[in-house]
Amino acid sequence: MNIPRILDGKSVAAAVLDECRAEVAALAEKGIVPGLAVVLVGEDPASQVYVGSKTRTCAELGFHSRKIELPAATTQDELLKVVRDLNADPAIHGILVQSPPPAHIDEEAVIRAIDPRKDVDGFHPENVAKLALEDPTGFVPCTPAGCMKLLEVAGISTQGAEAVVIGRSMIVGKPMALLLVSKKSNATVTIAHSRSKDLPAICRRADIVVAAVGRPEMVKADWVKPGAVVIDVGINRVEDASKKSGYRLTGDVAYAEVAPLCSAITPVPGGVGPMTIAMLMKNTLQAARQLG
Ligand code: GUN
């Protein structure tokens, strides 16, 4: 039987965070303490967990961190004022507004209001352009950057590989495709999505599958070519009466049936999730370095 490699995001993230600690010490000698502000509007329970992890990791690394929790009824103008104040605050190098905001918020306008030099999510159009241009002064969105780091550390080559990214979001799918097709990675990339014709057949072509659709266990065994590498970005809460919380976390990949076919696969939780936070810390250090 094939035994797949389990790509352990927790240990790779821990190694990235150790690198960050060394850089925090180097910046301290120049009198710079990296500062990250995380803004959460509303009470979405999953977002609360993510924001809590981000600020906790900042504290562990010796960053200055500010968690700004705003009520769901916060207006667009109030949120824009918070962002502008953070833009002007010299103690803050990185600004992140947790997505998704409540429906009445124009998220695009909020992203555009963030100073692109502090946009550690890499969502501002200036940073999206820099990613497409392969300009290293831009910020690469944290989740796709984390997926690339996992592949790199595992020694999985993307050179000339057939990669299929399922999902076309600005947070994961599109930037992931740009990273895979870059001159450094040289993959041949297909971006598939919910309207793609015959998604299983497209997916079966892939040497590397990146699933980022947000649908629990959508990618089945007959979607995956034997020996493929599967990166599961999904973190879905599904009801589970046997759990104290009433739910369990599952990815976009039907892990139990897909894993035995793969050469390597990320688990959920403990795969891509911890990498996202580690890359956010790296981006905040990049911002602190570049802003000085
Ligand atoms: N929601 C899910 N992932 C992310 C992320 O990487 N950044 C922000 N701001 N919101 C998210």
Side-chain angles (χ1 to χ4, degrees):
M1 199 185 99
N2 173 54
I3 311 268
R5 265 186 86 184
I6 312 301
L7 302 176
D8 177 6
K10 275 192 259 180
S11 66
V12 178
V16 171
L17 293 178
D18 280 342
E19 282 171 26
C20 290
R21 274 188 197 89
E23 206 182 333
V24 171
L27 283 171
E29 285 182 12
K30 296 183 190 159
I32 299 168
V33 178
L36 176 67
V38 180
V39 182
L40 173 62
V41 186
E43 281 98 41
D44 177 65
S47 291
Q48 283 172 330
V49 172
Y50 301 144
V51 164
S53 302
K54 288 167 186 174
T55 49
R56 226 179 8 260
T57 309
C58 278
E60 281 165 22
L61 292 183
F63 284 23
H64 168 64
S65 90
R66 202 171 305 158
K67 181 161 75 171
I68 301 172
E69 292 177 287
L70 302 170
T74 303
T75 66
Q76 177 82 12
D77 282 350
E78 285 165 341
L79 180 55
L80 289 174
K81 164 121 185 23
V82 168
V83 168
R84 287 194 196 105
D85 288 349
L86 292 169
N87 284 343
D89 187 338
I92 296 298
H93 303 99
I95 303 169
L96 177 151
V97 180
Q98 187 65 28
S99 182
H104 67 277
I105 297 290
D106 175 356
E107 187 174 15
E108 191 56 43
V110 175
I111 289 169
R112 283 171 188 265
I114 297 172
D115 182 335
R117 296 169 305 169
K118 296 190 177 187
D119 168 41
V120 286
D121 262 328
F123 296 167
H124 189 284
E126 197 171 299
N127 286 312
V128 176
K130 284 184 171 180
L131 178 59
L133 293 164
E134 304 186 30
D135 175 342
T137 65
F139 295 101
V140 178
C142 306
T143 301
C147 295
M148 294 305 290
K149 187 78 181 171
L150 265 181
L151 290 172
E152 182 195 316
V153 171
I156 296 167
S157 173
T158 57
Q159 301 299 317
E162 221 20 277
V164 172
V165 179
I166 314 173
R168 56 181 156 183
S169 72
M170 293 306 293
I171 297 184
V172 186
K174 284 184 191 161
M176 186 74 216
L178 283 171
L179 289 169
L180 284 164
V181 82
S182 70
K183 291 195 186 76
K184 184 177 166 205
S185 301
N186 290 312
T188 301
V189 183
T190 302
I191 308 180
H193 47 80
S194 56
R195 303 286 180 91
S196 294
K197 204 163 69 182
D198 203 353
L199 203 45
I202 295 169
C203 200
R204 269 194 299 275
R205 296 205 300 256
D207 303 310
I208 300 171
V209 179
V210 181
V213 267
R215 292 235 210 123
E217 302 184 358
M218 186 173 91
V219 177
K220 308 289 188 208
D222 64 351
W223 293 36
V224 175
K225 178 166 76 175
V229 173
V230 174
I231 307 291
D232 189 350
V233 179
I235 305 179
N236 308 291
R237 289 184 175 201
V238 296
E239 275 186 35
D240 186 339
S242 73
K243 301 276 179 194
K244 207 162 73 184
S245 60
Y247 68 87
R248 70 188 155 84
L249 293 179
T250 183
D252 292 347
V253 176
Y255 187 90
E257 61 180 81
V258 170
L261 290 165
C262 301
S263 58
I265 187 166
T266 59
V268 177
V272 174
M275 294 303 299
T276 297
I277 296 179
M279 300 319 273
L280 174 65
M281 300 300 126
K282 253 185 129 46
N283 280 358
T284 305
L285 283 167
Q286 181 186 334
R289 223 171 32 236
Q290 290 179 179
L291 282 163

